[in-house]
Amino acid sequence: MTDVRVLIVEDEPLIAEDISDFLGEIDFICAGIAYDSETALDMMVNRHPDIALLDINIEGSMDGIQVAEVINKKYNIPFVYLTSHSDKATLDKAKQTLPYGYIVKPFNEKDLLSTLEMALFRHANENKSNIPDIDTINQALNNSLTDKEYTCLAHLFVGLTNKQMAEKQFVSVNTIKTHLKNLFTKLEVPNRTSAVQKIISQF
């Protein structure tokens, strides 16, 4: 679970599978595909996504905008709307939920990647607090963080992807994944977002 985990809420299976396949080629993975609002909210709890792609027109008791409202109330993760609806009324309603992006179908993969990266960066900066020094964190842990793991934690605080971390640290992506896996184990968290939230809440 060291990659950025994206929940895809999309009622068109072909589009959802195309997005999932594309995520597998870059610095993200698909945390799950939900075709309706009930499945989307269940996956929020059980799949621990770092970010959500929300189609506005979905099956179920809620539309994508209503799902976004639940995410805002219960889960501190960014979301991006992915929809064929670009009329003013829909945009105005969507804007009220403060999304981190809005992609209109049809879209290209470059736009999707840049929007996801910007959403993560913006969310991280909006929720940023000063990260405690490594000694302060290690005093609260049974198993101390290494300097490399702490560096990865600091990079999570500014919303960097694995590839971006690797470039900054001059190591391979696999090395970053190893550091993150160890970091999550020591913090006893399932994913990137949870790691940041735990540090913010405890220090």
Side-chain angles (χ1 to χ4, degrees):
M1 293 189 181
T2 59
D3 294 291
V4 180
R5 296 171 57 77
V6 183
L7 174 62
I8 302 169
V9 184
E10 167 62 64
D11 65 353
E12 296 184 47
L14 287 178
I15 293 177
E17 291 296 338
D18 283 347
I19 295 172
S20 179
D21 290 344
F22 172 63
L23 293 175
E25 297 172 6
I26 55 174
D27 208 13
F28 300 82
I29 60 171
C30 176
I33 296 174
Y35 301 116
D36 58 71
S37 58
E38 286 74 21
T39 304
L41 294 177
D42 181 67
M43 286 184 172
M44 283 297 306
V45 176
N46 297 310
R47 301 291 182 90
H48 306 292
D50 296 296
I51 187 170
L53 277 173
L54 300 177
D55 187 7
I56 290 178
N57 238 7
I58 56 173
E59 299 294 325
S61 59
M62 296 186 238
D63 62 20
I65 293 176
Q66 291 170 309
V67 170
E69 290 170 347
V70 175
I71 291 175
N72 279 335
K73 289 177 182 177
K74 292 188 175 182
Y75 310 99
N76 184 29
I77 70 165
F79 56 87
V80 171
Y81 287 121
L82 177 66
T83 181
S84 55
H85 296 273
S86 56
D87 60 278
K88 187 177 186 304
T90 300
L91 281 171
D92 287 344
K93 189 177 178 183
K95 281 191 293 187
Q96 299 304 310
T97 62
L98 304 176
Y100 286 80
Y102 196 101
I103 302 174
V104 179
K105 302 173 190 174
F107 60 92
N108 61 53
E109 293 174 343
K110 184 178 179 181
D111 287 342
L112 177 59
L113 173 59
S114 60
T115 301
L116 288 171
E117 289 185 343
M118 286 301 298
L120 289 167
F121 177 79
R122 194 181 123 207
H123 181 261
N125 276 270
E126 287 179 357
N127 291 273
K128 194 173 178 182
S129 63
N130 291 326
I131 182 172
D133 61 63
I134 189 170
D135 292 333
T136 300
I137 293 176
N138 282 340
Q139 285 175 7
L141 298 179
N142 294 324
N143 197 353
S144 297
L145 302 183
T146 65
D147 289 340
K148 292 293 186 183
E149 290 159 5
Y150 179 78
T151 299
C152 288
L153 178 62
H155 285 163
L156 291 182
F157 264 73
V158 292
L160 297 189
T161 65
N162 292 355
K163 183 179 179 182
Q164 291 167 334
M165 288 187 202
E167 290 170 350
K168 280 189 172 289
Q169 297 185 44
F170 303 103
V171 296
S172 69
V173 170
N174 282 336
T175 298
I176 293 296
K177 289 183 177 183
T178 298
H179 291 324
L180 288 174
K181 184 178 179 182
N182 293 335
L183 171 66
F184 297 164
T185 298
K186 291 176 180 180
L187 292 179
E188 298 179 345
V189 296
N191 64 347
R192 306 159 67 94
T193 305
S194 299
V196 173
Q197 289 175 353
K198 182 166 186 176
I199 295 299
I200 290 173
S201 64
Q202 290 194 1
F203 297 92

